[in-house]
Amino acid sequence: FTHVMMQTSLFYAHHRSDEVFQAISQLLAPGGTFVAADFIRVGDLSDNRVIKFMEFSSMKGFLSLDEMKAKLNKYGLVYSDGENLDRHCVKCNAMKARKVLENNLENFSTDFFKNREETIKDNLASFQLIVAKKN
């Protein structure tokens, strides 16, 4: 393949990043591009707010950008570009929380969306576009 893309799903598998990046590396042709929109850890793993974010998001692991770059590199994928999408993530989650309230949706809580919004605003996590090329 010339391209592999993952949108807001990689963070569910940070604890399996070796498997994921190895498979992507095997699928990509030399010079191929991997693109992901993903949450990365900025805060410390011992911070209760980071732990709460991980619990809300059903995450068993949480990589920092440097850790992700090292994992990519381990499988011949070199980080080549990225973009901070925090502003969009905060806006999107605030809108979702508002819609839950406006529409009085049963079995939905605004806590999940508020947690994401606050975690990004408090600079404990970041929502990033990640681009890597295969050697």
Side-chain angles (χ1 to χ4, degrees):
F1 292 95
T2 58
H3 295 79
V4 173
M5 181 174 176
M6 299 177 80
Q7 185 168 342
T8 321
S9 58
L10 181 58
F11 70 97
Y12 291 117
H14 278 199
H15 65 291
R16 297 178 61 193
S17 58
D18 284 301
E19 289 174 66
V20 172
F21 293 145
Q22 183 177 26
I24 290 168
S25 181
Q26 290 172 346
L27 290 170
L28 276 176
T33 303
F34 167 64
V35 179
D38 195 32
F39 287 101
I40 56 165
R41 181 177 45 79
V42 178
D44 191 273
L45 278 173
S46 63
D47 188 312
N48 286 334
R49 297 169 299 167
V50 173
I51 293 167
K52 186 176 179 181
F53 176 82
M54 291 174 67
E55 289 171 354
F56 263 113
S57 300
S58 302
M59 297 171 72
K60 295 180 182 176
F62 200 7
L63 298 174
S64 69
L65 184 57
D66 286 341
E67 291 167 335
M68 185 171 293
K69 287 177 181 180
K71 293 273 188 174
L72 288 164
N73 204 20
K74 181 177 177 180
Y75 296 101
L77 302 165
V78 179
Y79 180 89
S80 60
D81 197 12
E83 185 175 340
N84 183 308
L85 302 173
D86 288 352
R87 164 175 77 87
H88 303 289
C89 184
V90 167
K91 181 180 177 182
C92 178
N93 282 283
M95 187 182 336
K96 289 183 219 178
R98 192 173 62 248
K99 290 295 182 185
V100 166
L101 293 174
E102 286 174 3
N103 293 292
N104 197 25
L105 298 176
E106 292 183 29
N107 301 318
F108 281 93
S109 167
T110 60
D111 293 346
F112 176 80
F113 303 117
K114 287 180 180 178
N115 175 267
R116 283 193 169 182
E117 182 182 352
E118 290 168 4
T119 303
I120 298 294
K121 282 183 176 178
D122 291 345
N123 200 36
L124 299 169
S126 183
F127 193 63
Q128 299 277 325
L129 183 64
I130 296 160
V131 181
K133 297 277 187 183
K134 183 173 178 182
N135 288 331

